[in-house]
Amino acid sequence: MNFTRVATGVFASLLAIAAPNYLPAQYMRSIQQRSDASDLVCVGHAASPGRTGRVQQIDGSDRDELATQVIIERCLKGRLSANAEVRVLGFDIVALKNISGGYGYSGPPTGFVSEGRNLLFLKPTKDSDQYEVTVPIYATAIHLADPAPDLPSGEGSQTVQAIVVRELEGAFIQFGSRDLSYIDYLMGYLGAQEGIAECLRLSSRVSVPLQRDLAVAMLFEGQSSLEPVVISVLLDASAPLWKRQNAAGALGEHGTRAALVPLQEIASDHGPPDGQESLQSWAAEALHKVKARLVQP
């Protein structure tokens, strides 16, 4: 997937310092990848991040150093006591001293630590109360819901997996209307079969719009019983355009004969509303995939 961001820069006077180059940054999509590469995985509450005034060269480009103070709630890997306060460092995609007007970016999602609760993946530094994010440029920390979730009770039930799943579900409930990455994290963390089972359980306690988002994600993983729900998303003119496109994509991957007429309806719309030409293209591509699948022996 290609991620694009355009940001507006401002002039700033920063001090460039000499320091060893970091290893080339590599985006880690899954929670397990991030955990395996980290010495410390924890849930913590971060203050608003800021620039430190230091500049580091990473992958041949200058990057502004970022920092935030984090109060640890719990550790899932490594040893750090609850309520400990640590400083966390990371880097922006650019150095503002090099920006004049604005800049364009195309690549994996970038990001540091969000203000509020985060699932953090960290490495130690020479200072005992200071840590670095595992990947210096690309998004590594996962923004979590404001309230801590209710965790399973009973001896042995509060496993790392159970805690991570509850945290992701809480974040999906709070942010899912505009950010569906939490479903991807959940599916990737649990695997398709267990992820579908968990999403079905989650669906029973979320709003109807979020139920439909879960249905689209589960159809992408092959849960064909949810095809009617996904078709309803595709045809819902009040739904966000990008969610209707997701529905078309899921139908293209796993839709049956039942999806042909709805996809044809969207794909053949000769006068789509302004801005919906892309939906028409998504539907046409999905229609082609479904037809090709149906004629296979």
Side-chain angles (χ1 to χ4, degrees), residues 74 76 148-169 198 201 205:
R74 67 171 69 237
L76 306 178
D150 293 329
L151 297 176
S153 59
E155 185 177 354
S157 61
Q158 291 191 17
T159 63
V160 169
Q161 177 173 297
I163 293 169
V164 171
V165 167
R166 288 296 179 91
E167 289 285 6
L168 292 175
E169 290 177 350
E198 185 62 33
R201 287 190 288 269
R205 55 188 179 90

Side-chain angles (χ1 to χ4, degrees), residues 200-222:
L200 287 170
R201 287 190 288 269
L202 176 60
S203 185
S204 66
R205 55 188 179 90
V206 298
S207 64
V208 171
L210 294 184
Q211 288 176 6
R212 301 204 305 175
D213 292 333
L214 288 168
V216 172
M218 286 187 279
L219 182 60
F220 264 119
E221 298 295 336

Side-chain angles (χ1 to χ4, degrees), residues 44-204:
H45 192 284
S48 179
R51 299 177 191 274
T52 67
R54 299 173 64 191
V55 177
Q56 174 74 49
Q57 189 172 87
I58 303 173
D59 286 359
S61 298
D62 290 340
R63 322 282 186 173
D64 282 347
E65 185 181 65
L66 306 171
T68 184
Q69 293 296 123
V70 175
I71 298 176
I72 301 300
E73 286 186 19
R74 67 171 69 237
C75 264
L76 306 178
K77 178 183 179 181
R79 298 178 64 86
L80 199 60
S81 60
N83 297 318
E85 184 170 349
V86 298
R87 190 172 190 241
V88 174
L89 302 176
F91 291 88
D92 197 358
I93 191 67
V94 296
L96 290 184
K97 70 182 181 68
N98 299 330
I99 301 300
S100 176
Y103 68 92
Y105 170 75
S106 179
T110 61
F112 175 47
V113 176
S114 300
E115 182 177 3
R117 297 180 70 250
N118 291 260
L119 180 59
L120 299 160
F121 303 86
L122 305 172
K123 286 184 170 295
T125 69
K126 62 182 180 180
D127 298 323
S128 61
D129 61 347
Q130 183 167 279
Y131 292 81
E132 296 168 344
V133 292
T134 298
V135 179
I137 302 170
Y138 301 134
T140 307
I142 299 174
H143 191 195
L144 300 177
D146 295 331
D150 293 329
L151 297 176
S153 59
E155 185 177 354
S157 61
Q158 291 191 17
T159 63
V160 169
Q161 177 173 297
I163 293 169
V164 171
V165 167
R166 288 296 179 91
E167 289 285 6
L168 292 175
E169 290 177 350
F172 170 67
I173 291 171
Q174 181 170 337
F175 305 122
S177 62
R178 61 182 185 274
D179 185 355
L180 300 182
S181 63
Y182 297 101
I183 307 178
D184 293 336
Y185 283 132
L186 191 62
M187 287 289 190
Y189 187 60
L190 295 176
Q193 184 174 353
E194 191 175 348
I196 288 173
E198 185 62 33
C199 284
L200 287 170
R201 287 190 288 269
L202 176 60
S203 185
S204 66

